[in-house]
Amino acid sequence: LTGPQEFIGEMVTAWDRRRRNLAAGLSEIKGLKWEPVEGAFYAFVDIRESGLDSMTMADKLLNEARVAVTPVLAFGESGEGHIRLSFATSDELLDQAVQRIGDCLGWK
């Protein structure tokens, strides 16, 4: 608690950049909606317009796009129609994930 604290600001800046970049990328993909929130390092993505349930979408993205997401149904029945995607990783991996998801589901 008394050591260097500079890294905290650097990480907050990185997560904010990743959140904004992910939001921009996901907004270009058919059937996905996401409004970024502050204070989280994951996206709670609305997939209802895709016509797929959260388990089917998670399986599709894993098997076809090679991107792992969590069906929000895993957190309770009210989460159906949503997936959770962490952005606590590198910018490069997030860019690849968005590209793969867009290629799998289609771009707007």
Side-chain angles (χ1 to χ4, degrees):
L1 294 175
T2 60
Q5 302 294 307
E6 294 81 22
F7 73 94
I8 295 172
E10 293 169 7
M11 288 308 301
V12 168
T13 299
W15 285 329
D16 181 57
R17 180 185 63 249
R18 292 173 186 147
R19 178 174 48 93
R20 285 183 281 111
N21 289 345
L22 186 60
L26 292 178
S27 72
E28 297 298 320
I29 300 172
K30 290 179 187 175
L32 302 185
K33 287 186 180 179
W34 175 49
E35 293 294 326
V37 296
E38 292 187 31
F41 52 87
Y42 61 86
F44 189 77
V45 182
D46 184 337
I47 62 165
R48 292 177 289 187
E49 286 184 14
S50 74
L52 301 176
D53 63 62
S54 62
M55 290 296 293
T56 302
M57 178 65 82
D59 286 342
K60 180 177 184 67
L61 293 178
L62 181 61
N63 294 315
E64 295 177 26
R66 309 312 264 176
V67 176
V69 300
T70 304
V72 180
L73 182 61
F75 299 100
E77 199 170 303
S78 63
E80 182 51 67
H82 296 81
I83 56 172
R84 184 171 147 161
L85 175 63
S86 173
F87 53 88
T89 189
S90 72
D91 296 277
E92 294 79 18
L93 287 176
L94 284 175
D95 290 344
Q96 288 177 15
V98 168
Q99 183 67 47
R100 290 177 182 180
I101 293 169
D103 290 347
C104 179
L105 300 178
W107 299 93
K108 287 186 177 173

